Amino acid sequence: MTERKPPGIPFESWVDRQIREGERRGEFARLAGAGKPLPAGSDTSYDELWWIKEKMAREGLSVLPPTLALRKEAEDTLAEALAAPSERVVRGLITRINARIGDMMLRPPPGPPLGMRPYDVEEVVRRWRERRAAVEESGGGSAV
């Protein structure tokens, strides 16, 4: 336990003396993380939600506005559809994501605009067929 700062001594000098004496006694020698860099994301500005942000980062979570989350989901679904094993799967994936896009277009949530339309199922199937044909031509047995 440190002593109270005596009156009449400048605060910085008193703090510096406390640190110097603690170092001399070896109180800083075995601290966890000694000699290691500060963890990534160590920001000196105050953020009252810092612990939530760190927990989400450790858990691999992110929170996007609904429209941005749907844009990401739509991009992932299109990529999945183009690598699908059959035309039936392509049509099913695109039909499901189009329904979600249509719902959001009719009832937009607060936040950034969606900025996209439903996919043209026939256009996606045409691209899937071309990709599949190119893979088969090159001698690859799989369209993935």
Side-chain angles (χ1 to χ4, degrees), residues 9 40 94 96:
I9 296 177
I94 298 302
R96 278 191 292 282

Side-chain angles (χ1 to χ4, degrees), residues 33-92:
K36 297 179 184 169
L38 292 174
S42 295
D43 189 1
T44 57
S45 62
Y46 178 72
D47 181 5
E48 62 187 31
L49 300 176
W50 65 268
W51 63 276
I52 293 173
K53 292 176 182 176
E54 285 185 10
K55 175 72 171 171
M56 289 177 69
R58 281 194 310 271
E59 299 292 330
L61 301 174
S62 69
V63 178
L64 291 174
T67 52
L68 297 181
L70 183 58
R71 279 191 216 172
K72 173 77 171 105
E73 182 182 346
E75 289 174 10
D76 293 347
T77 300
L78 179 59
E80 184 181 352
L82 292 174
S86 71
E87 185 175 323
R88 182 182 57 78
V89 173
V90 174
R91 289 181 183 280

Side-chain angles (χ1 to χ4, degrees), residues 93-110:
L93 289 167
I94 298 302
T95 300
R96 278 191 292 282
I97 197 65
N98 279 348
R100 301 234 11 227
I101 292 170
D103 286 345
M104 192 164 289
M105 289 173 71
L106 293 174
R107 291 181 297 281

